[in-house]
Amino acid sequence: MTVDLEMQLREDRALRNAARALVDADMAHLRTSLSGRSISSRIFGRFSEGAADVFEEAVEVAEDHKGVLATLIAAIVIWFARHPLGRMVGMSDEEAEQDDEGDRWSDDDI
């Protein structure tokens, strides 16, 4: 072999060994990080952290917009109590059912 080829071979081996050392270090790091917790516990942990963040944000928004929240809750209560309220104002059950059926979309509406 010529001197240039031997030098190139040594450089290539050094590069190969350095790359192999990086891959081995990455694999060792991956094994240690995965050995601590199972995949399901990691997924649940991330899910619970995300849910906690969403809950905190919802509490902050609710505190900032108490009037909107009260209106929304009142609208939900009224919607669930629409039949008893209808009877209180003199609407019959048949009329209430017709109103409910009229609220539904048909294929012709689309």
Side-chain angles (χ1 to χ4, degrees):
M1 266 191 196
T2 64
V3 176
D4 291 337
L5 286 176
E6 288 180 20
M7 187 177 240
Q8 183 67 39
L9 183 61
R10 286 185 189 138
E11 289 175 1
D12 290 344
R13 282 184 182 154
L15 285 173
R16 181 199 65 193
N17 292 341
R20 179 63 189 206
L22 286 173
V23 169
D24 290 342
D26 286 344
M27 290 298 292
H29 182 272
L30 184 63
R31 283 188 186 112
T32 57
S33 68
L34 291 178
S35 66
R37 293 173 39 192
S38 68
I39 292 174
S40 62
S41 67
R42 273 193 207 95
I43 291 171
F44 181 74
R46 288 187 181 154
F47 177 75
S48 63
E49 289 170 5
D53 292 342
V54 169
F55 179 73
E56 289 173 7
E57 181 70 24
V59 167
E60 288 177 17
V61 169
E63 288 174 352
D64 293 341
H65 301 94
K66 290 181 182 180
V68 174
L69 184 62
T71 304
L72 177 63
I73 290 171
I76 291 170
V77 168
I78 290 171
W79 186 81
F80 278 115
R82 67 189 183 278
H83 292 293
L85 290 173
R87 277 186 245 123
M88 284 175 46
V89 297
M91 185 183 283
S92 68
D93 287 337
E94 291 87 23
E95 290 173 329
E97 287 178 15
Q98 287 174 353
D99 284 346
D100 282 349
E101 289 174 8
D103 291 342
R104 294 190 184 114
W105 290 0
S106 67
D107 290 336
D108 298 332
D109 294 336
I110 298 176

mmCIF file of all heavy atoms in Angstrom, residues 39-71:
data_model
loop_
_atom_site.group_PDB
_atom_site.id
_atom_site.type_symbol
_atom_site.label_atom_id
_atom_site.label_comp_id
_atom_site.label_asym_id
_atom_site.label_seq_id
_atom_site.Cartn_x
_atom_site.Cartn_y
_atom_site.Cartn_z
ATOM 1 N N ILE A 39 -43.532 3.057 29.250
ATOM 2 C CA ILE A 39 -44.096 3.927 28.220
ATOM 3 C C ILE A 39 -45.471 4.427 28.650
ATOM 4 O O ILE A 39 -45.797 5.599 28.488
ATOM 5 C CB ILE A 39 -44.164 3.187 26.869
ATOM 6 C CG1 ILE A 39 -42.743 2.942 26.357
ATOM 7 C CG2 ILE A 39 -44.966 3.983 25.860
ATOM 8 C CD1 ILE A 39 -42.661 2.113 25.116
ATOM 9 N N SER A 40 -46.277 3.542 29.236
ATOM 10 C CA SER A 40 -47.619 3.963 29.642
ATOM 11 C C SER A 40 -47.560 5.017 30.744
ATOM 12 O O SER A 40 -48.354 5.961 30.747
ATOM 13 C CB SER A 40 -48.436 2.758 30.100
ATOM 14 O OG SER A 40 -47.831 2.148 31.218
ATOM 15 N N SER A 41 -46.616 4.885 31.670
ATOM 16 C CA SER A 41 -46.511 5.894 32.722
ATOM 17 C C SER A 41 -46.031 7.224 32.153
ATOM 18 O O SER A 41 -46.443 8.284 32.617
ATOM 19 C CB SER A 41 -45.586 5.427 33.838
ATOM 20 O OG SER A 41 -44.255 5.331 33.382
ATOM 21 N N ARG A 42 -45.166 7.183 31.124
ATOM 22 C CA ARG A 42 -44.734 8.419 30.474
ATOM 23 C C ARG A 42 -45.900 9.083 29.756
ATOM 24 O O ARG A 42 -46.074 10.297 29.839
ATOM 25 C CB ARG A 42 -43.631 8.124 29.459
ATOM 26 C CG ARG A 42 -42.292 8.134 30.063
ATOM 27 C CD ARG A 42 -41.226 8.159 28.977
ATOM 28 N NE ARG A 42 -40.076 7.542 29.554
ATOM 29 C CZ ARG A 42 -39.754 6.279 29.423
ATOM 30 N NH1 ARG A 42 -40.449 5.508 28.674
ATOM 31 N NH2 ARG A 42 -38.711 5.786 30.041
ATOM 32 N N ILE A 43 -46.696 8.305 29.045
ATOM 33 C CA ILE A 43 -47.844 8.857 28.323
ATOM 34 C C ILE A 43 -48.839 9.442 29.317
ATOM 35 O O ILE A 43 -49.337 10.554 29.130
ATOM 36 C CB ILE A 43 -48.502 7.781 27.443
ATOM 37 C CG1 ILE A 43 -47.574 7.415 26.288
ATOM 38 C CG2 ILE A 43 -49.855 8.241 26.919
ATOM 39 C CD1 ILE A 43 -48.033 6.223 25.484
ATOM 40 N N PHE A 44 -49.130 8.710 30.371
ATOM 41 C CA PHE A 44 -50.062 9.207 31.384
ATOM 42 C C PHE A 44 -49.519 10.465 32.052
ATOM 43 O O PHE A 44 -50.269 11.403 32.322
ATOM 44 C CB PHE A 44 -50.349 8.131 32.428
ATOM 45 C CG PHE A 44 -51.316 8.570 33.472
ATOM 46 C CD1 PHE A 44 -52.667 8.692 33.179
ATOM 47 C CD2 PHE A 44 -50.886 8.891 34.748
ATOM 48 C CE1 PHE A 44 -53.567 9.115 34.136
ATOM 49 C CE2 PHE A 44 -51.778 9.318 35.718
ATOM 50 C CZ PHE A 44 -53.118 9.425 35.411
ATOM 51 N N GLY A 45 -48.224 10.483 32.314
ATOM 52 C CA GLY A 45 -47.611 11.660 32.928
ATOM 53 C C GLY A 45 -47.737 12.888 32.050
ATOM 54 O O GLY A 45 -48.105 13.968 32.513
ATOM 55 N N ARG A 46 -47.482 12.730 30.763
ATOM 56 C CA ARG A 46 -47.619 13.864 29.843
ATOM 57 C C ARG A 46 -49.074 14.268 29.698
ATOM 58 O O ARG A 46 -49.390 15.451 29.623
ATOM 59 C CB ARG A 46 -47.028 13.507 28.487
ATOM 60 C CG ARG A 46 -45.520 13.456 28.527
ATOM 61 C CD ARG A 46 -44.917 13.281 27.171
ATOM 62 N NE ARG A 46 -43.476 13.221 27.277
ATOM 63 C CZ ARG A 46 -42.696 12.612 26.433
ATOM 64 N NH1 ARG A 46 -43.219 12.008 25.401
ATOM 65 N NH2 ARG A 46 -41.398 12.613 26.598
ATOM 66 N N PHE A 47 -49.959 13.285 29.670
ATOM 67 C CA PHE A 47 -51.392 13.590 29.561
ATOM 68 C C PHE A 47 -51.867 14.354 30.791
ATOM 69 O O PHE A 47 -52.572 15.354 30.679
ATOM 70 C CB PHE A 47 -52.185 12.300 29.396
ATOM 71 C CG PHE A 47 -53.667 12.510 29.351
ATOM 72 C CD1 PHE A 47 -54.266 13.029 28.228
ATOM 73 C CD2 PHE A 47 -54.453 12.190 30.445
ATOM 74 C CE1 PHE A 47 -55.637 13.232 28.185
ATOM 75 C CE2 PHE A 47 -55.815 12.393 30.420
ATOM 76 C CZ PHE A 47 -56.411 12.912 29.280
ATOM 77 N N SER A 48 -51.463 13.899 31.962
ATOM 78 C CA SER A 48 -51.907 14.570 33.190
ATOM 79 C C SER A 48 -51.307 15.969 33.306
ATOM 80 O O SER A 48 -51.971 16.891 33.773
ATOM 81 C CB SER A 48 -51.563 13.730 34.416
ATOM 82 O OG SER A 48 -50.169 13.586 34.543
ATOM 83 N N GLU A 49 -50.066 16.142 32.867
ATOM 84 C CA GLU A 49 -49.467 17.478 32.875
ATOM 85 C C GLU A 49 -50.226 18.402 31.935
ATOM 86 O O GLU A 49 -50.506 19.552 32.266
ATOM 87 C CB GLU A 49 -48.001 17.410 32.463
ATOM 88 C CG GLU A 49 -47.097 16.774 33.493
ATOM 89 C CD GLU A 49 -45.700 16.506 32.957
ATOM 90 O OE1 GLU A 49 -45.409 16.904 31.799
ATOM 91 O OE2 GLU A 49 -44.898 15.901 33.679
ATOM 92 N N GLY A 50 -50.567 17.894 30.743
ATOM 93 C CA GLY A 50 -51.327 18.699 29.789
ATOM 94 C C GLY A 50 -52.711 19.023 30.305
ATOM 95 O O GLY A 50 -53.200 20.149 30.149
ATOM 96 N N ALA A 51 -53.361 18.055 30.949
ATOM 97 C CA ALA A 51 -54.699 18.291 31.499
ATOM 98 C C ALA A 51 -54.635 19.314 32.623
ATOM 99 O O ALA A 51 -55.518 20.175 32.741
ATOM 100 C CB ALA A 51 -55.288 16.974 32.003
ATOM 101 N N ALA A 52 -53.609 19.252 33.433
ATOM 102 C CA ALA A 52 -53.458 20.235 34.515
ATOM 103 C C ALA A 52 -53.265 21.638 33.941
ATOM 104 O O ALA A 52 -53.839 22.609 34.451
ATOM 105 C CB ALA A 52 -52.284 19.853 35.413
ATOM 106 N N ASP A 53 -52.485 21.745 32.869
ATOM 107 C CA ASP A 53 -52.286 23.049 32.237
ATOM 108 C C ASP A 53 -53.591 23.593 31.675
ATOM 109 O O ASP A 53 -53.901 24.775 31.826
ATOM 110 C CB ASP A 53 -51.245 22.957 31.123
ATOM 111 C CG ASP A 53 -49.841 22.691 31.642
ATOM 112 O OD1 ASP A 53 -49.610 22.915 32.854
ATOM 113 O OD2 ASP A 53 -48.991 22.253 30.846
ATOM 114 N N VAL A 54 -54.365 22.727 31.019
ATOM 115 C CA VAL A 54 -55.647 23.154 30.462
ATOM 116 C C VAL A 54 -56.597 23.572 31.577
ATOM 117 O O VAL A 54 -57.301 24.584 31.464
ATOM 118 C CB VAL A 54 -56.262 22.021 29.599
ATOM 119 C CG1 VAL A 54 -57.700 22.322 29.238
ATOM 120 C CG2 VAL A 54 -55.440 21.809 28.352
ATOM 121 N N PHE A 55 -56.626 22.827 32.664
ATOM 122 C CA PHE A 55 -57.497 23.163 33.790
ATOM 123 C C PHE A 55 -57.107 24.508 34.387
ATOM 124 O O PHE A 55 -57.973 25.342 34.693
ATOM 125 C CB PHE A 55 -57.440 22.060 34.848
ATOM 126 C CG PHE A 55 -58.295 22.345 36.053
ATOM 127 C CD1 PHE A 55 -59.670 22.248 35.969
ATOM 128 C CD2 PHE A 55 -57.724 22.740 37.254
ATOM 129 C CE1 PHE A 55 -60.475 22.524 37.067
ATOM 130 C CE2 PHE A 55 -58.513 23.019 38.357
ATOM 131 C CZ PHE A 55 -59.894 22.908 38.256
ATOM 132 N N GLU A 56 -55.812 24.745 34.580
ATOM 133 C CA GLU A 56 -55.355 26.020 35.126
ATOM 134 C C GLU A 56 -55.745 27.172 34.211
ATOM 135 O O GLU A 56 -56.186 28.236 34.671
ATOM 136 C CB GLU A 56 -53.845 25.996 35.335
ATOM 137 C CG GLU A 56 -53.402 25.110 36.481
ATOM 138 C CD GLU A 56 -51.897 24.963 36.553
ATOM 139 O OE1 GLU A 56 -51.180 25.660 35.790
ATOM 140 O OE2 GLU A 56 -51.427 24.162 37.374
ATOM 141 N N GLU A 57 -55.598 26.981 32.915
ATOM 142 C CA GLU A 57 -55.983 28.012 31.951
ATOM 143 C C GLU A 57 -57.484 28.268 32.004
ATOM 144 O O GLU A 57 -57.930 29.412 31.946
ATOM 145 C CB GLU A 57 -55.564 27.592 30.538
ATOM 146 C CG GLU A 57 -55.886 28.601 29.469
ATOM 147 C CD GLU A 57 -55.026 29.856 29.545
ATOM 148 O OE1 GLU A 57 -53.914 29.805 30.099
ATOM 149 O OE2 GLU A 57 -55.497 30.887 29.054
ATOM 150 N N ALA A 58 -58.274 27.202 32.118
ATOM 151 C CA ALA A 58 -59.727 27.355 32.204
ATOM 152 C C ALA A 58 -60.131 28.112 33.456
ATOM 153 O O ALA A 58 -61.036 28.947 33.427
ATOM 154 C CB ALA A 58 -60.402 25.982 32.166
ATOM 155 N N VAL A 59 -59.464 27.840 34.575
ATOM 156 C CA VAL A 59 -59.765 28.552 35.821
ATOM 157 C C VAL A 59 -59.437 30.037 35.669
ATOM 158 O O VAL A 59 -60.216 30.899 36.086
ATOM 159 C CB VAL A 59 -58.991 27.921 37.004
ATOM 160 C CG1 VAL A 59 -59.040 28.810 38.231
ATOM 161 C CG2 VAL A 59 -59.546 26.543 37.311
ATOM 162 N N GLU A 60 -58.303 30.338 35.048
ATOM 163 C CA GLU A 60 -57.927 31.740 34.850
ATOM 164 C C GLU A 60 -58.942 32.457 33.958
ATOM 165 O O GLU A 60 -59.348 33.590 34.252
ATOM 166 C CB GLU A 60 -56.538 31.831 34.230
ATOM 167 C CG GLU A 60 -55.416 31.461 35.170
ATOM 168 C CD GLU A 60 -54.071 31.486 34.495
ATOM 169 O OE1 GLU A 60 -53.944 32.084 33.399
ATOM 170 O OE2 GLU A 60 -53.125 30.901 35.058
ATOM 171 N N VAL A 61 -59.356 31.814 32.874
ATOM 172 C CA VAL A 61 -60.331 32.424 31.969
ATOM 173 C C VAL A 61 -61.666 32.606 32.685
ATOM 174 O O VAL A 61 -62.329 33.631 32.532
ATOM 175 C CB VAL A 61 -60.484 31.575 30.681
ATOM 176 C CG1 VAL A 61 -61.660 32.035 29.852
ATOM 177 C CG2 VAL A 61 -59.204 31.635 29.865
ATOM 178 N N ALA A 62 -62.069 31.612 33.453
ATOM 179 C CA ALA A 62 -63.342 31.702 34.181
ATOM 180 C C ALA A 62 -63.307 32.838 35.197
ATOM 181 O O ALA A 62 -64.298 33.547 35.373
ATOM 182 C CB ALA A 62 -63.647 30.380 34.866
ATOM 183 N N GLU A 63 -62.177 33.015 35.862
ATOM 184 C CA GLU A 63 -62.063 34.108 36.827
ATOM 185 C C GLU A 63 -62.125 35.464 36.142
ATOM 186 O O GLU A 63 -62.680 36.414 36.678
ATOM 187 C CB GLU A 63 -60.765 33.978 37.634
ATOM 188 C CG GLU A 63 -60.797 32.845 38.628
ATOM 189 C CD GLU A 63 -59.462 32.645 39.323
ATOM 190 O OE1 GLU A 63 -58.461 33.287 38.927
ATOM 191 O OE2 GLU A 63 -59.413 31.836 40.269
ATOM 192 N N ASP A 64 -61.551 35.541 34.939
ATOM 193 C CA ASP A 64 -61.546 36.807 34.201
ATOM 194 C C ASP A 64 -62.889 37.117 33.560
ATOM 195 O O ASP A 64 -63.197 38.272 33.299
ATOM 196 C CB ASP A 64 -60.463 36.785 33.112
ATOM 197 C CG ASP A 64 -59.061 36.747 33.705
ATOM 198 O OD1 ASP A 64 -58.913 37.091 34.893
ATOM 199 O OD2 ASP A 64 -58.127 36.380 32.970
ATOM 200 N N HIS A 65 -63.697 36.104 33.282
ATOM 201 C CA HIS A 65 -64.962 36.290 32.561
ATOM 202 C C HIS A 65 -66.119 35.645 33.327
ATOM 203 O O HIS A 65 -66.819 34.772 32.817
ATOM 204 C CB HIS A 65 -64.862 35.685 31.163
ATOM 205 C CG HIS A 65 -63.773 36.279 30.342
ATOM 206 N ND1 HIS A 65 -62.521 35.725 30.273
ATOM 207 C CD2 HIS A 65 -63.734 37.397 29.575
ATOM 208 C CE1 HIS A 65 -61.758 36.468 29.486
ATOM 209 N NE2 HIS A 65 -62.470 37.487 29.052
ATOM 210 N N LYS A 66 -66.340 36.089 34.534
ATOM 211 C CA LYS A 66 -67.383 35.489 35.378
ATOM 212 C C LYS A 66 -68.774 35.691 34.794
ATOM 213 O O LYS A 66 -69.621 34.802 34.886
ATOM 214 C CB LYS A 66 -67.309 36.058 36.789
ATOM 215 C CG LYS A 66 -66.093 35.596 37.545
ATOM 216 C CD LYS A 66 -66.048 36.141 38.937
ATOM 217 C CE LYS A 66 -64.759 35.664 39.609
ATOM 218 N NZ LYS A 66 -64.644 36.159 40.961
ATOM 219 N N GLY A 67 -69.039 36.838 34.172
ATOM 220 C CA GLY A 67 -70.350 37.099 33.582
ATOM 221 C C GLY A 67 -70.653 36.166 32.431
ATOM 222 O O GLY A 67 -71.771 35.641 32.298
ATOM 223 N N VAL A 68 -69.668 35.922 31.590
ATOM 224 C CA VAL A 68 -69.849 35.008 30.461
ATOM 225 C C VAL A 68 -70.088 33.590 30.966
ATOM 226 O O VAL A 68 -70.948 32.875 30.459
ATOM 227 C CB VAL A 68 -68.621 35.056 29.522
ATOM 228 C CG1 VAL A 68 -68.723 34.008 28.434
ATOM 229 C CG2 VAL A 68 -68.458 36.442 28.927
ATOM 230 N N LEU A 69 -69.355 33.203 31.983
ATOM 231 C CA LEU A 69 -69.517 31.866 32.554
ATOM 232 C C LEU A 69 -70.903 31.708 33.169
ATOM 233 O O LEU A 69 -71.564 30.673 32.967
ATOM 234 C CB LEU A 69 -68.434 31.607 33.602
ATOM 235 C CG LEU A 69 -68.415 30.220 34.229
ATOM 236 C CD1 LEU A 69 -68.150 29.165 33.158
ATOM 237 C CD2 LEU A 69 -67.365 30.141 35.310
ATOM 238 N N ALA A 70 -71.376 32.723 33.872
ATOM 239 C CA ALA A 70 -72.709 32.651 34.481
ATOM 240 C C ALA A 70 -73.778 32.564 33.389
ATOM 241 O O ALA A 70 -74.748 31.801 33.518
ATOM 242 C CB ALA A 70 -72.948 33.861 35.361
ATOM 243 N N THR A 71 -73.618 33.319 32.317
ATOM 244 C CA THR A 71 -74.566 33.273 31.203
ATOM 245 C C THR A 71 -74.571 31.897 30.550
ATOM 246 O O THR A 71 -75.637 31.361 30.216
ATOM 247 C CB THR A 71 -74.216 34.355 30.173
ATOM 248 O OG1 THR A 71 -74.191 35.627 30.821
ATOM 249 C CG2 THR A 71 -75.204 34.368 29.039
#
